[in-house]
Amino acid sequence: MAVPKRKMSRSNTRHRRAQWKATAPQLVPVVLDGKVHRVPQQLVKAYRRGLLRPED
Protein backbone atom coordinates (compact mmCIF):
# COMPACT_ATOMS: atom_id res chain seq x y z
CA MET A 1 0.00 0.00 0.00
CA ALA A 2 1.29 3.46 -0.85
CA VAL A 3 2.21 5.58 2.15
CA PRO A 4 3.05 9.29 1.88
CA LYS A 5 6.64 10.13 2.73
CA ARG A 6 5.77 13.55 4.14
CA LYS A 7 2.72 15.21 5.66
CA MET A 8 0.59 17.03 3.12
CA SER A 9 -0.39 20.58 4.00
CA ARG A 10 -4.02 21.39 4.70
CA SER A 11 -4.28 23.71 1.69
CA ASN A 12 -2.87 21.06 -0.66
CA THR A 13 -5.23 18.44 0.73
CA ARG A 14 -8.28 20.65 0.28
CA HIS A 15 -7.14 21.75 -3.18
CA ARG A 16 -6.83 18.12 -4.26
CA ARG A 17 -10.23 17.16 -2.82
CA ALA A 18 -11.92 20.14 -4.50
CA GLN A 19 -11.10 18.71 -7.96
CA TRP A 20 -13.45 15.74 -7.54
CA LYS A 21 -16.86 16.29 -9.09
CA ALA A 22 -19.87 14.00 -9.07
CA THR A 23 -21.61 13.47 -12.39
CA ALA A 24 -25.27 12.72 -12.98
CA PRO A 25 -25.97 9.22 -14.34
CA GLN A 26 -26.56 9.02 -18.08
CA LEU A 27 -30.26 8.29 -18.60
CA VAL A 28 -31.42 6.27 -21.59
CA PRO A 29 -34.99 5.66 -22.77
CA VAL A 30 -36.34 2.13 -22.23
CA VAL A 31 -39.79 0.86 -23.22
CA LEU A 32 -41.41 -1.11 -20.39
CA ASP A 33 -45.06 -2.23 -20.54
CA GLY A 34 -45.65 0.05 -23.53
CA LYS A 35 -44.37 3.16 -21.73
CA VAL A 36 -41.07 4.94 -22.22
CA HIS A 37 -39.01 5.37 -19.05
CA ARG A 38 -35.64 7.05 -18.68
CA VAL A 39 -33.34 4.89 -16.57
CA PRO A 40 -29.59 4.91 -15.81
CA GLN A 41 -27.62 3.15 -18.53
CA GLN A 42 -26.00 0.70 -16.10
CA LEU A 43 -29.41 -0.54 -14.91
CA VAL A 44 -31.08 -1.13 -18.29
CA LYS A 45 -30.66 -4.93 -18.10
CA ALA A 46 -32.13 -5.07 -14.60
CA TYR A 47 -35.20 -3.09 -15.70
CA ARG A 48 -35.71 -5.27 -18.79
CA ARG A 49 -35.47 -8.49 -16.75
CA GLY A 50 -37.98 -7.16 -14.23
CA LEU A 51 -35.54 -7.02 -11.30
CA LEU A 52 -36.26 -3.30 -10.85
CA ARG A 53 -39.49 -1.40 -11.36
CA PRO A 54 -39.53 2.18 -12.68
CA GLU A 55 -41.03 4.86 -10.44
CA ASP A 56 -44.03 6.59 -12.00
Side-chain angles (χ1 to χ4, degrees):
M1 188 171 118
V3 178
K5 196 164 192 175
R6 287 190 166 75
K7 182 177 180 179
M8 188 178 243
S9 71
R10 182 180 293 174
S11 67
N12 281 346
T13 301
R14 290 180 177 164
H15 182 72
R16 185 190 73 247
R17 288 179 181 166
Q19 299 303 313
W20 186 85
K21 301 275 188 303
T23 57
Q26 181 181 356
L27 299 178
V28 295
V30 176
V31 178
L32 300 170
D33 299 330
K35 296 181 183 176
V36 178
H37 299 279
R38 294 176 57 86
V39 299
Q41 187 174 6
Q42 292 179 328
L43 300 176
V44 170
K45 283 186 181 180
Y47 279 101
R48 286 188 178 152
R49 291 181 184 170
L51 300 174
L52 295 173
R53 295 178 185 238
E55 297 176 4
D56 288 327

